[in-house]
Amino acid sequence: TAAPFERCLVCDRNLLEPGVMYSVEKAIRRHAEFNLEDTITEAAVCMDCMVDMQQYISEESREVLMQYYQRFNPIERAERLLSIEGYSLENWIQECVFTGKKLEDCNEFQLTAFFSGKQMMLHFAQLMVSDSAGKELAELLSKETRDHLDRFMGEHFGLPPELVNLPLLI
């Protein structure tokens, strides 16, 4: 609808109440042969639910994800992107935060941003995760964590796991 998200996907909290912070994640698949992009999933989840969801990440997955995330140097990336031409959202999502793969080279990708009310929180990194990084991340997750994410996707999106190639990052 192009309207702002109003409710948390998990707890149905009003996201537009003053002081409520939340994350929006959108997974997109490109169909180059038709010059089309298709939204696979999009969701908004309040910070309280995001914290609660962390309990479903196994200790094994937590450790390998932390190692993987060490590739991401937020200060260096922010300095580099700000030096290009100040804050431009386009610059922040043109390359994968983990691999550097360009957005235009992705068949699938995820975008994540943080909000308070209708305002994007610019002091949080806005992220683009490429198909190759998403696949790597998914392969690192323990079976326990993958099973939980599959249940979450089925419950909230009605999607069987084989249709979603990128893990939910929220």
Side-chain angles (χ1 to χ4, degrees), residues 25-159:
E25 183 174 305
K26 187 172 188 170
I28 298 167
R29 181 174 292 145
R30 285 201 172 123
H31 304 279
E33 65 276 16
F34 304 112
N35 198 27
L36 291 173
E37 287 184 352
D38 192 19
T39 298
I40 303 168
T41 60
E42 61 182 352
V45 176
C46 73
M47 290 297 187
D48 290 341
C49 287
M50 286 177 62
V51 169
D52 289 346
M53 290 169 64
Q54 297 298 311
Q55 70 180 317
Y56 296 107
I57 298 175
S58 71
E59 190 59 39
E60 175 188 347
S61 292
R62 212 180 306 274
E63 288 177 22
V64 295
L65 289 173
M66 288 304 293
Q67 291 173 4
Y68 191 86
Y69 289 163
Q70 287 177 357
R71 293 183 184 183
F72 174 47
N73 182 340
I75 295 172
E76 180 276 327
R77 180 174 185 257
E79 288 173 351
R80 180 174 52 81
L81 290 170
L82 287 169
S83 72
I84 294 172
E85 51 182 89
Y87 189 89
S88 165
L89 180 60
E90 291 295 315
N91 290 337
W92 287 73
I93 62 170
Q94 287 304 308
E95 66 181 36
C96 176
V97 68
F98 297 115
T99 65
K101 184 176 182 178
K102 299 294 182 194
L103 179 66
E104 67 223 22
D105 297 329
C106 296
N107 293 322
E108 292 185 18
F109 57 94
Q110 285 171 248
L111 300 173
T112 303
F114 295 88
F115 293 81
S116 179
K118 294 181 183 179
Q119 300 298 312
M120 186 181 298
M121 307 297 290
L122 298 179
H123 57 279
F124 283 89
Q126 314 319 315
L127 308 175
M128 187 279 280
V129 177
S130 66
D131 42 12
S132 54
K135 184 177 180 185
E136 286 177 15
L137 282 164
E139 290 172 356
L140 293 173
L141 298 175
S142 69
K143 180 175 178 357
E144 175 187 351
T145 301
R146 281 193 316 270
D147 288 348
H148 174 72
L149 290 174
D150 288 348
R151 280 190 303 277
F152 182 89
M153 295 300 286
E155 178 183 333
H156 293 286
F157 298 104
L159 294 173

Side-chain angles (χ1 to χ4, degrees), residues 4-23 43-52 115-117 156:
F5 284 94
E6 294 180 3
R7 313 298 302 179
C8 173
L9 176 72
V10 178
C11 72
D12 202 40
R13 180 179 188 178
N14 181 352
L15 298 173
L16 301 180
E17 288 178 10
V20 176
M21 290 184 58
Y22 59 99
S23 174
V45 176
C46 73
M47 290 297 187
D48 290 341
C49 287
M50 286 177 62
V51 169
D52 289 346
F115 293 81
S116 179
H156 293 286

